[in-house]
């Protein structure tokens, strides 16, 4: 069993390799977001999960999208913290 330090990150097979992530500036900070195509796929999986249930491969796909979302959230927090620290150093 792999520890969290050696665990690998696996992208969903259905993840489009082009334009899967969008970039936006919010209050001067770069924000990474899943594209509308990816958000639509996640929404479809969540809806199916609630109504008909997911196959094993769809459950795995949804888990992988959740990992991707966690990764993007972490990246956004790190970017925002870096930006705020830079501003504090400039002002202080």
């Amino acid at each position: 069993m792999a520890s969290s330090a050696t665990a690998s990150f696996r992208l969903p097979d259905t993840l489009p390799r082009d334009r899967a992530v969008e970039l936006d500036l919010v209050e001067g900070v770069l924000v990474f977001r899943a594209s509308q195509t990816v958000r639509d796929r996640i929404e479809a999986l969540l809806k199916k999960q609630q109504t008909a249930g997911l196959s094993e491969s769809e459950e795995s796909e949804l888990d992988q999208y959740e990992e991707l979302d966690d990764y993007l959230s972490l990246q956004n927090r790190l970017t925002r913290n870096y930006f705020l620290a830079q501003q504090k150093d400039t002002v202080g």
Side-chain angles (χ1 to χ4, degrees):
M1 183 171 172
S3 71
S4 62
T6 59
S8 63
F9 184 77
R10 187 164 177 260
L11 294 173
D13 292 336
T14 57
L15 180 71
R17 297 302 191 248
D18 188 25
R19 299 181 183 179
V21 175
E22 299 172 348
L23 300 175
D24 196 8
L25 277 178
V26 177
E27 299 176 8
V29 179
L30 190 62
V31 175
F32 296 87
R33 292 191 173 115
S35 69
Q36 187 63 51
T37 301
V38 171
R39 291 193 308 261
D40 289 346
R41 179 63 181 152
I42 293 170
E43 182 69 27
L45 288 169
L46 290 172
K47 188 175 284 185
K48 185 177 179 189
Q49 184 182 45
Q50 293 175 348
T51 57
L54 298 176
S55 68
E56 191 172 312
S57 65
E58 290 169 329
E59 285 282 352
S60 176
E61 179 185 0
L62 186 57
D63 289 345
Q64 291 167 342
Y65 277 122
E66 287 176 351
E67 283 185 50
L68 177 62
D69 184 60
D70 289 347
Y71 179 79
L72 292 176
S73 294
L74 173 63
Q75 184 60 49
N76 288 333
R77 282 193 304 277
L78 293 172
T79 301
R80 183 168 179 80
N81 289 345
Y82 178 79
F83 177 78
L84 292 175
Q86 293 295 314
Q87 278 191 325
K88 186 177 179 181
D89 288 345
T90 302
V91 174

